[in-house]
Coordinates of all heavy atoms in Angstrom, one line a residue:
M999 N 0.9 -1.2 0.0 CA 0.0 0.0 0.0 C 0.8 1.2 0.1 O 1.8 1.3 0.7 CB -0.9 0.1 1.2 CG -2.1 -0.9 1.2 SD -3.2 -0.5 -0.2 CE -4.7 -1.2 0.6
T1000 N 0.4 2.3 -0.8 CA 1.1 3.5 -0.9 C 0.1 4.6 -0.5 O -1.0 4.6 -0.9 CB 1.6 3.7 -2.3 OG1 2.5 2.7 -2.7 CG2 2.3 5.0 -2.5
T1001 N 0.6 5.5 0.4 CA -0.3 6.7 0.6 C 0.4 8.0 0.2 O 1.6 8.2 0.5 CB -0.6 6.7 2.1 OG1 -1.3 5.6 2.5 CG2 -1.5 8.0 2.4
R1002 N -0.3 8.8 -0.5 CA 0.4 10.1 -0.9 C -0.8 11.2 -0.8 O -1.9 10.9 -1.0 CB 0.7 10.1 -2.4 CG 2.3 10.3 -2.5 CD 2.6 10.8 -4.0 NE 2.7 12.1 -4.0 CZ 3.1 12.9 -5.0 NH1 3.5 12.3 -6.2 NH2 3.3 14.2 -5.0
T1003 N -0.3 12.4 -0.4 CA -1.2 13.5 -0.3 C -1.0 14.5 -1.4 O 0.2 15.0 -1.6 CB -1.1 14.2 1.1 OG1 -1.3 13.2 2.1 CG2 -2.0 15.3 1.3
Y1004 N -2.0 14.9 -2.0 CA -2.0 15.8 -3.1 C -2.7 17.1 -2.6 O -3.5 17.1 -1.8 CB -2.6 15.4 -4.4 CG -1.9 14.1 -5.0 CD1 -2.3 12.9 -4.5 CD2 -1.1 14.3 -5.9 CE1 -1.7 11.7 -5.0 CE2 -0.4 13.1 -6.4 CZ -0.8 11.9 -6.0 OH -0.2 10.7 -6.6
R1005 N -2.3 18.3 -3.1 CA -3.0 19.5 -2.8 C -3.8 19.9 -4.0 O -3.3 20.1 -5.1 CB -2.0 20.6 -2.4 CG -2.5 21.9 -2.0 CD -3.4 21.9 -0.7 NE -2.6 21.4 0.5 CZ -2.0 22.3 1.4 NH1 -1.8 23.5 1.2 NH2 -1.4 21.6 2.5
V1006 N -5.2 20.1 -3.7 CA -6.1 20.5 -4.8 C -6.7 21.8 -4.5 O -7.1 22.1 -3.4 CB -7.2 19.4 -4.9 CG1 -8.3 19.9 -5.9 CG2 -6.7 18.0 -5.4
S1007 N -6.6 22.7 -5.5 CA -7.1 24.1 -5.4 C -8.5 24.1 -6.0 O -8.9 23.5 -6.9 CB -6.2 25.1 -6.0 OG -6.0 24.7 -7.3
G1008 N -9.3 25.0 -5.3 CA -10.6 25.4 -5.9 C -11.8 24.7 -5.3 O -12.9 25.0 -5.6
M1009 N -11.6 23.8 -4.3 CA -12.7 23.1 -3.7 C -13.3 24.0 -2.7 O -12.6 24.6 -1.8 CB -12.3 21.8 -3.0 CG -11.8 20.7 -4.0 SD -11.6 19.1 -3.2 CE -10.2 19.5 -2.2
T1010 N -14.7 24.2 -2.7 CA -15.3 25.0 -1.7 C -16.4 24.4 -0.9 O -16.9 25.0 0.1 CB -16.0 26.3 -2.5 OG1 -16.8 25.6 -3.5 CG2 -14.9 27.1 -3.1
C1011 N -16.9 23.2 -1.2 CA -17.9 22.7 -0.5 C -18.0 21.1 -0.5 O -17.1 20.6 -1.3 CB -19.3 23.2 -0.9 SG -19.7 22.7 -2.6
G1012 N -18.9 20.5 0.1 CA -19.0 19.2 0.0 C -19.3 18.5 -1.4 O -18.8 17.4 -1.6
H1013 N -19.9 19.3 -2.1 CA -20.1 18.8 -3.5 C -18.7 18.6 -4.3 O -18.5 17.7 -5.0 CB -20.9 19.7 -4.3 CG -21.1 19.5 -5.8 ND1 -20.2 20.1 -6.7 CD2 -21.7 18.6 -6.5 CE1 -20.6 19.6 -7.9 NE2 -21.4 18.6 -7.8
C1014 N -17.9 19.6 -4.1 CA -16.5 19.7 -4.6 C -15.7 18.4 -4.1 O -15.0 17.6 -4.9 CB -15.8 20.8 -4.2 SG -16.5 22.4 -4.6
V1015 N -15.9 18.2 -2.8 CA -15.3 17.1 -2.2 C -15.7 15.7 -2.8 O -14.9 14.9 -3.1 CB -15.5 17.0 -0.6 CG1 -14.9 15.6 0.0 CG2 -14.8 18.2 0.0
S1016 N -17.0 15.5 -3.0 CA -17.5 14.3 -3.5 C -17.1 14.1 -5.0 O -16.8 13.0 -5.5 CB -19.0 14.1 -3.3 OG -19.7 15.3 -3.7
A1017 N -17.1 15.2 -5.7 CA -16.7 15.2 -7.2 C -15.3 14.7 -7.3 O -14.9 13.8 -8.1 CB -16.9 16.5 -7.8
V1018 N -14.3 15.2 -6.5 CA -12.9 14.9 -6.5 C -12.7 13.4 -6.1 O -12.1 12.7 -6.7 CB -12.1 15.9 -5.7 CG1 -10.6 15.3 -5.5 CG2 -12.0 17.3 -6.4
T1019 N -13.5 13.2 -4.9 CA -13.3 11.7 -4.4 C -13.8 10.8 -5.5 O -13.1 9.8 -5.7 CB -14.2 11.6 -3.2 OG1 -13.8 12.6 -2.2 CG2 -14.2 10.2 -2.5
R1020 N -14.9 11.0 -6.1 CA -15.4 10.0 -7.2 C -14.3 9.8 -8.3 O -14.1 8.7 -8.7 CB -16.8 10.5 -7.6 CG -17.4 9.6 -8.6 CD -18.9 10.0 -8.9 NE -19.4 11.0 -8.1 CZ -19.6 12.3 -8.5 NH1 -19.3 12.7 -9.7 NH2 -20.2 13.2 -7.6
E1021 N -13.8 11.0 -8.7 CA -12.9 10.8 -9.9 C -11.6 10.1 -9.5 O -11.1 9.3 -10.3 CB -12.6 12.1 -10.5 CG -13.8 12.8 -11.3 CD -14.3 12.0 -12.5 OE1 -13.5 11.2 -13.0 OE2 -15.5 12.2 -12.9
V1022 N -11.0 10.5 -8.3 CA -9.8 9.9 -8.0 C -10.0 8.5 -7.6 O -9.1 7.6 -7.9 CB -9.2 10.6 -6.8 CG1 -7.9 10.0 -6.3 CG2 -8.8 12.1 -7.3
E1023 N -11.1 8.1 -7.0 CA -11.4 6.7 -6.6 C -11.5 5.7 -7.9 O -11.3 4.5 -7.8 CB -12.7 6.6 -5.9 CG -12.6 6.7 -4.4 CD -13.9 6.7 -3.7 OE1 -15.0 6.7 -4.3 OE2 -14.0 6.6 -2.5
A1024 N -11.8 6.4 -9.0 CA -11.9 5.6 -10.2 C -10.6 5.2 -10.8 O -10.6 4.4 -11.8 CB -12.8 6.4 -11.2
I1025 N -9.5 5.8 -10.3 CA -8.2 5.4 -10.9 C -7.8 4.0 -10.5 O -8.0 3.7 -9.3 CB -7.0 6.5 -10.4 CG1 -7.4 7.9 -10.8 CG2 -5.7 6.0 -10.8 CD1 -6.5 8.8 -10.1
D1026 N -7.2 3.3 -11.4 CA -6.9 1.9 -11.2 C -6.0 1.7 -10.0 O -4.9 2.5 -10.0 CB -6.3 1.3 -12.5 CG -6.3 -0.1 -12.4 OD1 -7.4 -0.7 -12.0 OD2 -5.4 -0.8 -12.9
G1027 N -6.3 1.0 -9.1 CA -5.4 0.7 -7.9 C -5.7 1.5 -6.7 O -5.2 1.2 -5.7
V1028 N -6.6 2.5 -6.8 CA -6.9 3.4 -5.7 C -7.8 2.6 -4.7 O -8.9 2.1 -5.1 CB -7.5 4.7 -6.1 CG1 -8.1 5.5 -5.0 CG2 -6.4 5.5 -6.8
Q1029 N -7.5 2.5 -3.5 CA -8.2 1.9 -2.4 C -9.1 2.8 -1.6 O -10.1 2.5 -1.1 CB -7.3 1.2 -1.5 CG -6.3 0.3 -2.2 CD -6.9 -1.0 -2.8 OE1 -7.8 -1.6 -2.0 NE2 -6.6 -1.4 -4.0
D1030 N -8.5 4.1 -1.3 CA -9.1 5.0 -0.4 C -8.8 6.5 -0.8 O -7.6 6.7 -1.2 CB -8.7 4.7 1.0 CG -9.5 5.6 2.0 OD1 -10.8 5.5 2.0 OD2 -8.9 6.3 2.8
V1031 N -9.8 7.4 -0.7 CA -9.5 8.8 -0.9 C -10.1 9.6 0.3 O -11.3 9.3 0.6 CB -10.1 9.2 -2.2 CG1 -10.0 10.7 -2.5 CG2 -9.6 8.5 -3.4
Q1032 N -9.3 10.4 0.9 CA -9.8 11.3 2.0 C -9.5 12.7 1.6 O -8.3 13.0 1.3 CB -9.0 10.9 3.3 CG -9.4 9.4 3.8 CD -10.8 9.3 4.3 OE1 -11.5 10.2 4.7 NE2 -11.3 8.1 4.0
V1033 N -10.5 13.5 1.6 CA -10.3 15.0 1.2 C -10.6 15.7 2.5 O -11.6 15.6 3.2 CB -11.3 15.3 0.2 CG1 -11.1 16.8 -0.2 CG2 -11.2 14.4 -1.0
E1034 N -9.6 16.7 2.7 CA -9.7 17.7 3.8 C -10.0 19.0 3.2 O -9.2 19.7 2.5 CB -8.5 17.8 4.5 CG -8.4 18.9 5.7 CD -9.5 18.6 6.7 OE1 -9.6 17.5 7.2 OE2 -10.2 19.5 6.9
L1035 N -11.3 19.4 3.2 CA -11.8 20.6 2.4 C -11.0 21.8 2.8 O -10.8 22.7 2.0 CB -13.4 20.7 2.6 CG -14.0 22.0 2.0 CD1 -13.8 21.9 0.4 CD2 -15.5 22.0 2.3
S1036 N -10.8 22.1 4.1 CA -10.2 23.3 4.7 C -8.9 23.6 4.1 O -8.4 24.7 4.0 CB -10.2 23.2 6.1 OG -9.4 22.3 6.7
T1037 N -8.1 22.5 3.8 CA -6.8 22.7 3.3 C -6.6 22.3 1.8 O -5.6 22.6 1.2 CB -5.8 21.8 4.1 OG1 -6.2 20.4 4.0 CG2 -5.7 22.2 5.5
G1038 N -7.5 21.5 1.3 CA -7.5 21.0 -0.1 C -6.6 19.8 -0.2 O -6.3 19.3 -1.3
D1039 N -6.2 19.2 1.0 CA -5.4 18.0 1.0 C -6.2 16.8 0.6 O -7.2 16.6 1.2 CB -4.8 17.8 2.3 CG -3.6 18.8 2.6 OD1 -3.2 19.4 1.7 OD2 -3.2 18.8 3.8
V1040 N -5.8 16.0 -0.4 CA -6.3 14.9 -0.9 C -5.4 13.7 -0.6 O -4.4 13.6 -1.2 CB -6.7 14.9 -2.4 CG1 -7.4 13.6 -2.8 CG2 -7.7 16.1 -2.6
T1041 N -5.7 12.8 0.3 CA -4.8 11.7 0.6 C -5.4 10.5 0.0 O -6.5 10.1 0.2 CB -4.7 11.6 2.1 OG1 -4.3 12.8 2.8 CG2 -3.9 10.5 2.6
V1042 N -4.5 9.9 -0.9 CA -4.9 8.8 -1.7 C -4.1 7.5 -1.2 O -2.8 7.6 -1.3 CB -4.6 9.1 -3.2 CG1 -5.1 8.0 -4.0 CG2 -5.2 10.4 -3.6
T1043 N -4.8 6.5 -1.0 CA -4.2 5.2 -0.6 C -4.4 4.3 -1.8 O -5.5 4.1 -2.3 CB -4.8 4.6 0.6 OG1 -4.7 5.5 1.7 CG2 -4.1 3.3 1.0
S1044 N -3.3 3.6 -2.3 CA -3.4 2.8 -3.5 C -2.5 1.6 -3.3 O -1.6 1.6 -2.5 CB -3.0 3.7 -4.7 OG -1.7 4.2 -4.5
S1045 N -2.9 0.6 -4.0 CA -2.2 -0.6 -3.9 C -0.9 -0.6 -4.7 O 0.0 -1.5 -4.4 CB -3.0 -1.8 -4.6 OG -3.4 -1.4 -5.9
R1046 N -0.6 0.4 -5.5 CA 0.7 0.6 -6.0 C 0.9 2.1 -6.3 O -0.1 2.9 -6.2 CB 0.8 -0.2 -7.3 CG -0.2 0.1 -8.3 CD -0.1 -0.8 -9.6 NE -1.4 -0.6 -10.3 CZ -1.7 0.5 -11.1 NH1 -0.9 1.5 -11.1 NH2 -2.8 0.5 -11.8
A1047 N 2.1 2.5 -6.5 CA 2.4 4.0 -6.7 C 1.6 4.4 -8.0 O 1.5 3.7 -9.0 CB 3.9 4.1 -7.0
L1048 N 1.0 5.6 -7.8 CA 0.2 6.1 -8.9 C 1.0 7.0 -9.8 O 2.0 7.7 -9.3 CB -1.0 7.0 -8.3 CG -1.9 6.2 -7.4 CD1 -3.0 7.2 -6.9 CD2 -2.7 5.1 -8.3
D1049 N 0.6 7.1 -11.0 CA 1.1 8.1 -11.9 C 0.5 9.4 -11.6 O -0.7 9.6 -11.6 CB 0.8 7.6 -13.4 CG 1.4 8.5 -14.4 OD1 1.8 9.7 -14.1 OD2 1.5 8.1 -15.6
D1050 N 1.4 10.3 -11.2 CA 0.9 11.7 -10.9 C 0.0 12.3 -12.0 O -0.9 13.0 -11.6 CB 2.1 12.7 -10.5 CG 2.6 12.3 -9.2 OD1 2.0 11.6 -8.4 OD2 3.7 12.8 -8.9
R1051 N 0.3 12.0 -13.2 CA -0.4 12.5 -14.4 C -1.8 11.9 -14.3 O -2.8 12.7 -14.7 CB 0.2 12.2 -15.7 CG 1.5 13.0 -15.9 CD 2.3 12.5 -17.1 NE 2.7 11.1 -16.8 CZ 3.4 10.3 -17.7 NH1 3.8 10.8 -18.8 NH2 3.7 9.1 -17.4
A1052 N -2.0 10.7 -13.9 CA -3.4 10.2 -13.8 C -4.2 10.9 -12.7 O -5.3 11.1 -12.9 CB -3.2 8.7 -13.5
V1053 N -3.5 11.3 -11.6 CA -4.1 11.9 -10.6 C -4.5 13.3 -11.1 O -5.7 13.7 -10.8 CB -3.3 12.0 -9.2 CG1 -4.0 12.8 -8.2 CG2 -3.0 10.6 -8.8
A1054 N -3.6 13.9 -11.7 CA -3.9 15.3 -12.2 C -5.1 15.3 -13.2 O -5.9 16.1 -13.2 CB -2.6 15.9 -12.9
A1055 N -5.1 14.2 -14.0 CA -6.1 14.1 -15.0 C -7.6 13.9 -14.4 O -8.5 14.5 -14.7 CB -5.9 13.0 -16.0
A1056 N -7.6 13.1 -13.3 CA -8.8 12.8 -12.5 C -9.3 14.1 -11.8 O -10.5 14.4 -11.8 CB -8.5 11.7 -11.5
V1057 N -8.3 14.8 -11.2 CA -8.8 16.0 -10.6 C -9.3 17.1 -11.6 O -10.3 17.7 -11.3 CB -7.5 16.6 -9.7 CG1 -7.8 18.2 -9.3 CG2 -7.2 15.7 -8.6
D1058 N -8.6 17.1 -12.7 CA -9.1 18.0 -13.8 C -10.5 17.6 -14.4 O -11.3 18.4 -14.5 CB -8.0 17.9 -15.0 CG -8.5 18.9 -16.1 OD1 -8.2 20.1 -15.9 OD2 -8.9 18.4 -17.1
E1059 N -10.7 16.3 -14.4 CA -12.0 15.8 -14.9 C -13.1 16.1 -13.8 O -14.2 16.5 -14.2 CB -12.0 14.3 -14.9 CG -13.1 13.5 -15.5 CD -13.2 13.9 -17.0 OE1 -12.2 14.0 -17.7 OE2 -14.3 13.9 -17.5
A1060 N -12.8 16.3 -12.6 CA -13.7 16.7 -11.6 C -13.9 18.2 -11.7 O -14.9 18.7 -11.1 CB -13.2 16.2 -10.3
G1061 N -13.1 18.9 -12.3 CA -13.3 20.4 -12.4 C -12.3 21.2 -11.6 O -12.5 22.4 -11.5
Y1062 N -11.3 20.6 -11.1 CA -10.3 21.2 -10.2 C -8.9 21.0 -10.7 O -8.7 20.4 -11.7 CB -10.6 20.8 -8.8 CG -12.0 20.9 -8.4 CD1 -12.8 19.8 -8.5 CD2 -12.5 22.1 -8.0 CE1 -14.2 19.9 -8.2 CE2 -13.9 22.3 -7.7 CZ -14.7 21.2 -7.8 OH -16.0 21.3 -7.6
Q1063 N -8.0 21.7 -9.9 CA -6.6 21.5 -10.3 C -5.6 21.1 -9.2 O -5.9 21.5 -8.1 CB -6.1 22.8 -10.9 CG -6.7 23.1 -12.3 CD -6.0 24.3 -12.9 OE1 -5.6 25.3 -12.2 NE2 -5.8 24.3 -14.3
L1064 N -4.7 20.3 -9.5 CA -3.6 20.1 -8.5 C -2.9 21.4 -8.3 O -2.5 22.0 -9.3 CB -2.6 19.0 -9.0 CG -3.1 17.6 -8.9 CD1 -1.9 16.7 -9.2 CD2 -3.6 17.2 -7.5
A1065 N -2.6 21.8 -7.1 CA -1.8 23.0 -6.8 C -0.4 22.5 -7.1 O 0.0 21.4 -6.7 CB -2.1 23.4 -5.3
S1066 N 0.4 23.4 -7.6 CA 1.7 23.0 -7.9 C 2.6 23.4 -6.7 O 2.3 24.1 -5.8 CB 2.3 23.7 -9.1 OG 2.0 25.0 -9.1
Ligands
CU328 CU1 -18.3 22.7 -4.0

């Protein structure tokens, strides 16, 4: 298991949290997604290391962006 925390900008409410959670959960190998709305931290637990580009694409699909 691998856990990594990403910072996502632009989330403002529970709807944003569920949109990001849903998209990131759909990435192959992802086991768990925890979003902290106040900070934008998205902690992803996966069975193997994720391609950061896949995470960025999922966040983008949800309508938000990874903070650089
Ligand atoms: Cu929202």
